[in-house]
Amino acid sequence: MDYETVVGLEVHVELATKTKIFCGCGTGFGAEPNTQVCPVCSGMPGSLPVFNKEVARFAALAGLALNCEINRRNVFDRKNYFYPDLPKAYQISQLYQPICRNGFLEIGGGKKIGIHEIHMEEDAGKLLHDPWEDCSNIDYNRCGVPLIEIVSEPDFRSAGEVVDYLERLREILLYLGVSDCKMQEGSMRADINLSVRPSGAAEFGVRTEMKNMNSFKAIYRAVEFEAKRQTELIDAGGRVTQETRRWDDNKEASFSMRSKENAQDYRYFPDPDLLALDLSEEFIEEIRANMPESAASKRSRFTGELGLSAYDAGVLTAEKPLCDLFERTSALCGNPKEAANLIIVEICRLIKEDAATTEDACRRVAPESLAALIKMITGGEINRTVGKDALAAIFREQADPEEYVRERNLLIVNDAGLIDEVIDRVLEANEKSVADFRAGKEKAFGFLVGQAMKELKGTANPGAVNGALKKRLGQ
Ligand code: ADP
Ligand code: MG
Ligand code: ZN
């Protein structure tokens, strides 16, 4: 029988707020374990949460970008469960009145994936299993880091659609600045709900859930695998059980973890420690009016207004730090084409050579330096080879381009007297080549130009050297 795959996603995104959702602790990734904790986020009895309004701002921003309705009245609910990484034994989340509802995200081919809701909640801590000591350690730094959970409708029909959506979603959130969306660091992670049904059937099948997937590749494989597993199970006369499964990317297989819990299991109830949060019209309108530009809009502006190719616009927007560097540089030097070129060809090459991350590389290259360098190249002060070397020095040593060129005497020599002087020396030292040239060997001319350029340390204008040499040889 033919089956259709049906997928719905729950995507957790850690928000880029400086402090946690209900206390003033920092949220930076990679700090020493248990150094970013206080009585509130470590669940001490008697402590009280205070809501961080930035969380609502980021959540509403994401909701507006995803075409959602924003609920003016927001309520927080307790989701009760015990786990060692959750010291309060309940998570504060939103069940009944999430901040955003009824949105959509358009994927390839114009298909709209419905967004059921976006709600705000707090993250849990992290359990670190130590196989050497045979014990588990708990890091509470992540407790209380704000999350939004973006719940889609079961609108996906293939692994390709799922990954397409996630890539677009990630790009949107990144450019909004609401999250760094680093899947490796867990700041964006997806739960895959998947069922299959006979093609043409009206009802959905029973679904399974695979939680906390943190790479697009693994997600693609997991969707394909789970659809196949369910199909084969049904074809063999079996029935899919509603359960949570764990995807093991090394084994390329999923394993049953536990039967699926229902909302009742969590004994949700409105959190009595927090007041309802009423968002004003002004608050929403202010967010709407100051929406950062999306990557898609940047791409069409780069190809339209700035005259870049679609390929270049794609490369520049593929990673936000690169895009920021490009925009700041071209604003400073007024030459977007040169800026795009240097970044795409030279900086991307340097990134590869040094195996650097784009983020790190873009921190090292000051837009001011890049813009100054571009001005020197386009103003004919230095040639491109020198420009390349100077760029490598900017990249590797944060060199100041003007100083770099000045200290090494690399300004282009347009001084005709100096060029003639050098040519005289070269001709004297290479009598054989001069004779060869006179005997009709064209190659000898190139050699002589090369020698002169070398003496001038590559800083002469090759056209000027060519002309002067021709004149001197009576051509
Ligand atoms: P829960 O809160 O128990 O996880 P929800 O009803 O909120 O359940 O749905 C969670 C996700 O599962 C949503 O993204 C939804 O689109 C998806 N989903 C629901 N039913 C199915 C189904 N039969 N097949 C695939 N996905 C489904
Ligand atoms: Mg779920
Ligand atoms: Zn705290």
Side-chain angles (χ1 to χ4, degrees):
M1 209 196 301
D2 264 356
Y3 291 92
E4 181 179 54
T5 303
V6 174
V7 176
L9 293 179
E10 294 158 281
V11 178
H12 284 94
V13 178
E14 276 181 5
L15 300 180
T17 53
K18 291 206 173 60
T19 55
K20 294 186 180 181
I21 183 168
F22 298 120
C23 65
C25 291
T27 55
F29 180 83
E32 276 289 298
N34 299 311
T35 55
Q36 295 175 340
V37 286
C38 73
V40 174
C41 58
S42 59
M44 296 292 159
S47 63
L48 286 171
V50 177
F51 182 66
N52 175 358
K53 205 170 171 190
E54 279 303 291
V55 176
R57 180 187 302 279
F58 279 161
L61 187 55
L64 290 173
L66 295 169
N67 310 292
C68 293
E69 296 154 14
I70 311 297
N71 280 330
R72 301 304 192 256
R73 162 140 293 210
N74 274 268
V75 173
F76 290 99
D77 303 295
R78 285 190 184 180
K79 181 179 182 180
N80 296 277
Y81 68 97
F82 172 77
Y83 204 67
D85 63 10
L86 189 75
K88 293 199 303 295
Y90 59 84
Q91 178 194 29
I92 305 179
S93 179
Q94 295 188 296
L95 178 68
Y96 304 106
Q97 278 167 293
I99 183 161
C100 313
R101 276 207 176 107
N102 297 329
F104 66 86
L105 171 58
E106 201 173 303
I107 60 168
K111 175 168 176 175
K112 283 181 181 165
I113 300 296
I115 305 236
H116 183 75
E117 66 170 76
I118 301 176
H119 58 258
M120 302 180 279
E121 59 187 27
E122 56 182 338
D123 211 344
K126 230 188 259 174
L127 277 175
L128 304 153
H129 305 288
D130 184 340
W132 292 101
E133 300 289 335
D134 193 24
C135 69
S136 293
N137 297 303
I138 309 175
D139 177 6
Y140 287 135
N141 283 351
R142 203 175 67 178
C143 270
V145 168
L147 292 174
I148 50 173
E149 179 174 339
I150 304 165
V151 184
S152 87
E153 299 293 350
D155 286 345
F156 303 96
R157 295 294 175 266
S158 69
E161 285 183 1
V162 167
V163 172
D164 184 359
Y165 167 88
L166 287 170
E167 282 173 346
R168 286 169 199 260
L169 182 61
R170 179 169 182 274
E171 186 179 85
I172 288 170
L173 298 172
L174 263 174
Y175 276 78
L176 288 176
V178 305
S179 173
D180 64 15
C181 294
K182 286 187 182 159
M183 302 196 73
Q184 299 308 332
E185 294 180 4
S187 54
M188 178 173 180
R189 40 197 207 258
D191 301 348
I192 304 171
N193 297 273
L194 188 149
S195 61
V196 298
R197 62 178 170 185
S199 296
E203 303 278 309
F204 287 140
V206 174
R207 74 182 143 122
T208 61
E209 187 177 29
M210 289 177 284
K211 280 186 177 291
N212 291 327
M213 306 284 304
N214 62 1
S215 99
F216 290 157
K217 241 194 202 153
I219 288 168
Y220 190 95
R221 284 200 288 258
V223 169
E224 297 249 287
F225 170 91
E226 180 59 12
K228 186 159 171 277
R229 189 191 68 84
Q230 291 187 12
T231 311
E232 287 172 357
L233 182 64
I234 297 170
D235 272 343
R239 273 168 51 189
V240 175
T241 28
Q242 184 163 337
E243 64 184 354
T244 301
R245 298 180 69 84
R246 181 178 60 84
W247 172 253
D248 187 325
D249 207 39
N250 296 320
K251 300 202 174 100
E252 295 203 25
S254 71
F255 301 92
S256 179
M257 266 172 77
R258 57 171 188 258
S259 66
K260 171 110 182 82
E261 59 290 316
N262 288 313
Q264 302 91 287
D265 297 333
Y266 291 119
R267 241 178 2 95
Y268 277 100
F269 64 90
D271 192 301
D273 288 342
L274 287 155
L275 293 172
L277 173 73
D278 288 310
L279 302 177
S280 67
E281 286 317 305
E282 298 82 69
F283 180 75
I284 306 288
E285 283 322 307
E286 199 252 342
I287 294 170
R288 202 195 298 276
N290 294 305
M291 259 290 253
E293 187 182 14
S294 71
S297 151
K298 283 186 194 290
R299 276 189 291 273
S300 61
R301 189 163 54 78
F302 291 173
T303 51
E305 225 172 87
L306 304 185
L308 303 185
S309 70
Y311 173 81
D312 286 357
V315 175
L316 289 173
T317 52
E319 290 184 84
K320 185 153 183 293
L322 214 56
C323 189
D324 290 341
L325 178 63
F326 165 70
E327 292 202 277
R328 291 175 59 199
T329 304
S330 62
L332 287 167
C333 73
N335 194 334
K337 279 205 173 143
E338 276 295 335
N341 236 344
L342 271 197
I343 290 173
I344 291 169
V345 180
E346 299 304 331
I347 292 191
C348 289
R349 185 176 52 79
L350 288 165
I351 289 174
K352 252 194 214 130
E353 274 179 19
D354 288 14
T357 65
T358 311
E359 197 183 357
D360 195 39
C362 292
R363 246 198 307 269
R364 286 194 254 159
V365 178
E368 291 75 17
S369 298
L370 201 52
L373 184 69
I374 289 169
K375 279 189 183 160
M376 284 195 278
I377 296 173
T378 55
E381 290 175 55
I382 57 171
N383 67 35
R384 286 195 179 269
T385 317
V386 170
K388 259 190 188 178
D389 296 343
L391 184 56
I394 293 172
F395 183 84
R396 299 204 167 109
E397 296 137 40
Q398 285 72 57
D400 175 82
E402 272 139 3
E403 228 169 73
Y404 177 91
V405 166
R406 198 173 350 101
E407 279 173 2
R408 290 170 183 72
N409 275 327
L410 296 173
L411 283 179
I412 285 182
V413 177
N414 280 313
D415 178 346
L418 177 62
I419 293 175
D420 282 341
E421 233 179 87
V422 167
I423 285 176
D424 281 345
R425 274 208 301 277
V426 167
L427 294 183
E428 233 168 79
N430 296 281
E431 279 171 9
K432 172 133 190 339
S433 298
V434 175
D436 284 351
F437 174 72
R438 297 213 192 279
K441 285 194 187 157
E442 284 294 323
K443 261 195 188 159
F445 185 78
F447 172 77
L448 291 168
V449 172
Q451 290 305 107
M453 288 299 283
K454 209 161 129 192
E455 283 245 347
L456 289 158
K457 290 200 204 117
T459 57
N461 180 340
V465 173
N466 245 293
L469 186 62
K470 270 190 188 153
K471 215 159 100 199
R472 188 71 174 63
L473 290 171
Q475 289 288 297

